[in-house]
């Protein structure tokens, strides 16, 4: 019997999300989450989907990622799905920043760990947590392939014209400043799923993917390869997000430091944590913003309008980048659920072949679906993303067949 299970780990600074999948039918055997690692009130929530049992929740101190992973292993073992099982083929890890080197999912060894470590200065919030997850899982099962799946990998096909900032080349190269892009696992999955929805091969289809979650990014995908994306050196660039500003004149930063007396760290926090929708209106949840708009709240209305204005600019820009667009795909929390966002994003763009059918747009569903009127020149689609499944697929493709 060949090993056919893959554990997917997404390690954050104080959390670990996990899913165990059976790759023979790509079903979920268990999903869960450890939160508030390092605090007294850590919480582990585990859903044993394979057994059909009720979700289990435990609270109490979980000191670090090693303790967290051991607790997860304990929960899985209760369901007969322990990490020591010979059926486990590999562990697939989400790693946010893979720089220019990692263009593919990669089996982790010491050299790979060192390179991920070298990228910490360009991903100080994410890569350290991802590294901790990798090291912990490796210590627990040293014999098992640990595969790093990078958020940046899908974007490494961007041409230099899109990937470089127009700054002094030597300075940029010295500090590895270029546009890397993020959410790549989602953009890869959704662009392929959109082609499938159209009944076509990814190589034949040009897609604008709009990943609109709390973090948000757009990408232009030509024939299955990313040619531009809205996030850059860090996830701060591009669209208006839940708490991030997205694009702004870089001189705003000097101004805040010189005239506003703020430190670099203070500006960093302002732009990453206190800007975007939350900075504009005090809420970052699109449901709450829509509710406030319905009650006539002007600040919420303006925040929504700024969000939509930026989104439409990127749709237009990527239309020009691609030349021919076959589909625009909405995904992630806002993209999958917020019909008013989808409607406003393409309103009045019939001359570009873009339109949304009000009835189709209002349907709530977990399935990938078209929301453009029949016969539209460009398909507009809602395509639920599944980053865990994509990580599992990429991991299994790399190691699955070799395991006996
Ligand atoms: P994500 O980062 O993909 O998990 O997306 C989270 C965001 O999706 C939340 O902050 C909300 O703004 C948004 N969201 C989730 N559900 C809905 C919904 N039913 N309607 C509108 N927005 C939603």
């Amino acid at each position: 019997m060949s090993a056919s299970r893959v554990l997917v780990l997404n390690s954050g600074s104080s959390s670990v999300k996990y899913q165990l999948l059976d790759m023979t039918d790509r079903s979920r055997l268990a999903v869960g989450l450890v939160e508030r690692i390092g605090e007294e009130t850590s919480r582990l929530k585990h859903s044993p989907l394979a057994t059909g049992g009720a979700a289990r929740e435990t609270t109490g101190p979980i000191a670090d990622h090693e303790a967290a992973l051991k607790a997860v292993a304990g929960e899985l073992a209760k369901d007969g799905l322990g990490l020591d099982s010979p059926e486990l083929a590999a562990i697939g890890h989400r790693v946010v920043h893979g720089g220019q080197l990692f263009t593919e999912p990669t089996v982790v060894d010491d050299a790979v760990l060192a390179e991920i470590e070298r990228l910490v200065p360009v991903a100080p919030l994410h890569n350290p947590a991802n590294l901790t997850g990798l090291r912990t899982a490796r210590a627990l099962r040293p014999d098992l392939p640990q595969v790093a799946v990078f958020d940046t990998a899908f974007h490494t096909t961007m041409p230099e014209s899109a990937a470089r900032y127009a700054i002094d080349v030597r300075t940029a190269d010295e500090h590895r400043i270029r546009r890397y892009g993020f959410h790549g696992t989602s953009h890869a999955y959704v662009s392929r799923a959109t082609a499938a929805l159209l009944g076509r091969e990814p190589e034949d289809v040009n897609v604008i993917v709009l990943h609109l979650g709390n973090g948000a990014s757009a990408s232009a995908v030509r024939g299955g390869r990313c040619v531009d994306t809205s996030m850059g050196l860090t996830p701060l660039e591009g669209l208006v997000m839940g708490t991030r500003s997205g694009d702004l004149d870089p001189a705003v930063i000097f101004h805040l430091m010189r005239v506003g007396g703020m430190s670099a760290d203070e500006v960093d926090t302002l732009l990453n944590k206190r800007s975007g929708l939350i900075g504009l209106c005090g809420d970052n949840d699109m449901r709450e913003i829509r509710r406030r708009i319905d009650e006539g709240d002007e600040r919420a209305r303006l925040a929504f309008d700024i969000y939509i204005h930026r989104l439409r600019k990127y749709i237009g820009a990527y239309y020009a980048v691609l030349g021919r667009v076959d589909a625009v795909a909405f995904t992630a929390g806002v993209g999958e659920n917020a019909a008013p966002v989808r409607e406003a994003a393409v309103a009045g763009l019939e001359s570009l072949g873009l339109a949304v059918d009000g009835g189709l747009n209002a349907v709530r569903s977990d399935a990938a679906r078209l929301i453009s009127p029949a016969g539209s020149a460009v398909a507009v689609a809602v395509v639920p993303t599944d980053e865990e499944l994509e990580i599992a697929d990429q991991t299994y493709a790399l190691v699955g067949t070799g395991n006996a």
Side-chain angles (χ1 to χ4, degrees):
M1 183 180 55
S2 67
S4 61
R5 289 182 194 151
V6 171
L7 178 69
V8 176
L9 286 184
N10 182 351
S11 305
S13 56
S14 65
S15 70
V16 176
K17 290 189 204 137
Y18 63 94
Q19 292 197 1
L20 183 69
L21 292 100
D22 179 348
M23 299 313 289
T24 53
D25 59 0
R26 298 161 89 220
S27 63
R28 264 107 175 145
L29 301 172
V31 305
L33 164 72
V34 189
E35 290 176 297
R36 299 196 288 272
I37 295 171
E39 296 180 29
E40 287 302 306
T41 57
S42 313
R43 187 170 76 119
L44 193 166
K45 192 168 177 208
H46 177 86
S47 299
L49 305 181
T51 64
R56 299 192 291 270
E57 205 172 304
T58 44
T59 45
I62 295 179
D64 51 24
H65 280 74
E66 186 180 347
L69 204 51
K70 282 186 174 153
V72 170
E75 289 301 326
L76 288 168
K78 286 183 199 164
D79 305 325
L81 301 167
L83 294 191
D84 50 359
S85 164
E87 288 183 51
L88 189 61
I91 301 183
H93 298 256
R94 176 183 182 216
V95 179
V96 167
H97 214 310
Q100 279 182 275
L101 195 63
F102 295 117
T103 61
E104 302 281 344
T106 304
V107 176
V108 170
D109 57 20
D110 289 339
V112 171
L113 283 178
E115 185 59 26
I116 297 172
E117 180 102 57
R118 224 164 64 84
L119 290 162
V120 165
V122 283
L125 296 178
H126 296 103
N127 272 31
N130 302 155
L131 271 170
T132 307
L134 272 167
R135 291 198 173 108
T136 308
R138 241 183 140 206
L140 230 82
R141 278 294 307 267
D143 56 314
L144 201 66
Q146 310 280 337
V147 176
V149 178
F150 299 93
D151 263 24
T152 46
F154 184 61
H155 303 305
T156 54
T157 52
M158 278 197 289
E160 286 293 283
S161 54
R164 278 202 179 268
Y165 292 107
I167 64 172
D168 175 69
V169 169
R170 270 174 309 176
T171 308
D173 288 349
E174 184 186 344
H175 298 288
R176 292 199 277 182
I177 294 171
R178 58 188 283 120
R179 308 191 55 256
Y180 295 100
F182 298 89
H183 292 146
T185 308
S186 176
H187 286 283
Y189 177 88
V190 171
S191 57
R192 264 206 332 274
T194 304
L197 182 68
L198 301 181
R200 296 167 68 179
E201 295 302 319
E203 299 76 46
D204 300 331
V205 177
N206 292 351
V207 189
I208 297 173
V209 178
L210 304 170
H211 177 111
L212 310 177
N214 198 30
S217 62
S219 68
V221 183
R222 176 182 290 132
R225 290 163 67 84
C226 178
V227 292
D228 204 352
T229 194
S230 59
M231 286 177 166
L233 173 73
T234 77
L236 184 56
E237 191 180 342
L239 299 173
V240 176
M241 311 183 208
T243 67
R244 297 188 194 118
S245 63
D247 295 336
L248 81 174
D249 180 346
V252 170
I253 298 166
F254 323 137
H255 187 81
L256 287 171
M257 294 175 76
R258 291 187 188 128
V259 179
M262 292 172 77
S263 69
D265 284 348
E266 284 168 344
V267 179
D268 192 329
T269 303
L270 174 80
L271 298 180
N272 275 295
K273 303 253 166 71
R274 292 195 287 119
S275 296
L277 293 171
I278 207 158
L280 287 166
C281 74
D283 272 308
N284 62 333
D285 192 314
M286 193 54 80
R287 284 163 288 202
E288 188 58 18
I289 291 170
R290 290 302 312 174
R291 196 192 57 72
R292 285 172 55 186
I293 291 171
D294 289 344
E295 288 177 353
D297 186 316
E298 288 301 323
R299 269 179 75 204
R301 175 86 245 170
L302 181 60
F304 184 82
D305 289 349
I306 294 169
Y307 182 96
I308 296 294
H309 180 71
R310 185 83 52 84
L311 187 57
R312 290 167 63 89
K313 282 181 27 174
Y314 270 92
I315 293 171
Y318 288 172
Y319 213 113
V321 165
L322 290 170
R324 187 200 86 220
V325 177
D326 298 297
V328 174
F330 289 89
T331 194
V334 175
E336 292 169 28
N337 296 299
V341 168
R342 299 190 296 252
E343 184 189 338
V346 302
L349 299 183
E350 289 81 5
S351 63
L352 296 180
L354 285 166
V356 156
D357 176 287
L360 294 175
N361 192 32
V363 172
R364 299 193 64 84
S365 160
D366 291 337
R369 58 203 186 270
L370 292 175
I371 56 169
S372 41
S376 287
V378 179
V380 180
V382 181
V383 180
T385 192
D386 196 335
E387 289 166 278
E388 290 77 15
L389 183 59
E390 180 70 19
I391 291 172
D393 276 341
Q394 293 193 17
T395 299
Y396 196 59
L398 196 59
V399 304
T401 46
N403 278 270

